Amino acid sequence: MSLPHAILTALLEKPSSGLELTRRFDKSIGYFWSATHQQIYRELGKLEAEGFIRTLPAEQPARGQKKSYEVLPAGRAELARWTAAAQDPRSMRDPLLLRLRAAAVVGTAGLEADLRRHLELHRRQLAEYRQIEERDFPPGRDAPQDRLRHLVLRAGIDLETFWTQWLAHALAEFGELPEEERERS
């Protein structure tokens, strides 16, 4: 299970509250591993119960004060164990690809417009990743931690590049389909 390990990673980078973790997931980790606010809070409770994290003592006791968490040695050891363990790659499961396969037997009505929409979404995500790269990884920033973080971002850039190229190719193929095939449903 990767969500607990994503949380341990984020907390090792910076002790945080659940709300801060949610915001950080939205701005960084969420580009490759998403989680809802509820999932993060539920996982924080489990990690604390397992002795992997602890609540930081509050500076002043106050009702309703947000809790901040930090990773304990057992959590660091678990993250190191998980990082070193072999894992097989996951198969791609994308509904768009299945919809294209289904279109071969029921027709393509509506699909071309959705391919265009997907292309625009991937182009925007690619542009955002490139802005992050320019902002966060200028030339000369090559500490080992930065290089590993940059590798993760490069995976996102390369994946979005693949999707934009593939979708452009798919739309070109749609343009070559006979009109009756494109309207069949």
Side-chain angles (χ1 to χ4, degrees):
M1 177 54 88
S2 296
L3 179 56
H5 300 100
I7 291 171
L8 287 170
T9 299
L11 289 175
L12 278 168
E13 290 174 341
K14 179 182 176 194
S16 305
S17 69
L19 181 58
E20 291 166 337
L21 278 174
T22 299
R23 288 181 181 145
R24 288 173 57 207
F25 263 72
D26 289 345
K27 291 181 181 176
S28 62
I29 294 173
Y31 291 122
F32 58 90
W33 195 269
S34 61
T36 66
H37 186 73
Q38 293 83 5
Q39 289 171 315
I40 290 171
Y41 272 96
R42 191 170 37 248
E43 205 57 52
L44 284 169
K46 290 178 187 176
L47 289 168
E48 192 168 27
E50 291 171 0
F52 292 154
I53 64 171
R54 74 174 181 120
T55 304
L56 288 170
E59 293 176 16
Q60 296 177 339
R63 185 173 162 90
Q65 183 176 345
K66 64 182 178 181
K67 294 186 212 177
S68 287
Y69 300 89
E70 71 176 353
V71 177
L72 295 170
R76 180 181 283 277
E78 168 54 23
L79 188 58
R81 181 210 59 77
W82 179 78
T83 301
Q87 291 186 353
D88 292 336
R90 290 183 161 211
S91 301
M92 182 189 302
R93 292 178 56 180
D94 191 300
L96 180 61
L97 299 177
L98 182 57
R99 290 172 55 215
L100 278 171
R101 181 70 182 246
V105 293
V106 298
T108 62
L111 199 50
E112 187 172 0
D114 202 37
L115 287 172
R116 291 186 192 289
R117 187 179 69 82
H118 276 249
L119 178 57
E120 180 55 32
L121 291 170
H122 285 287
R123 282 180 174 157
R124 278 190 265 170
Q125 188 65 65
L126 178 58
E128 186 175 344
Y129 285 168
R130 286 186 171 147
Q131 287 175 343
I132 292 168
E133 183 179 43
E134 187 176 308
R135 180 193 69 214
D136 293 350
F137 301 101
R141 186 170 180 185
D142 61 353
Q145 299 88 344
D146 291 329
R147 292 175 74 175
L148 292 174
R149 288 181 185 119
H150 194 192
L151 272 175
V152 174
L153 180 60
R154 281 299 322 169
I157 290 170
D158 292 348
L159 186 58
E160 293 303 327
T161 300
F162 160 78
W163 279 113
T164 57
Q165 291 172 349
W166 183 86
L167 285 160
H169 176 77
L171 285 164
E173 289 288 329
F174 261 72
E176 294 179 15
L177 292 175
E179 191 64 34
E180 63 273 5
E181 180 65 28
R182 291 170 31 180
E183 294 178 358
R184 183 170 51 99
S185 57

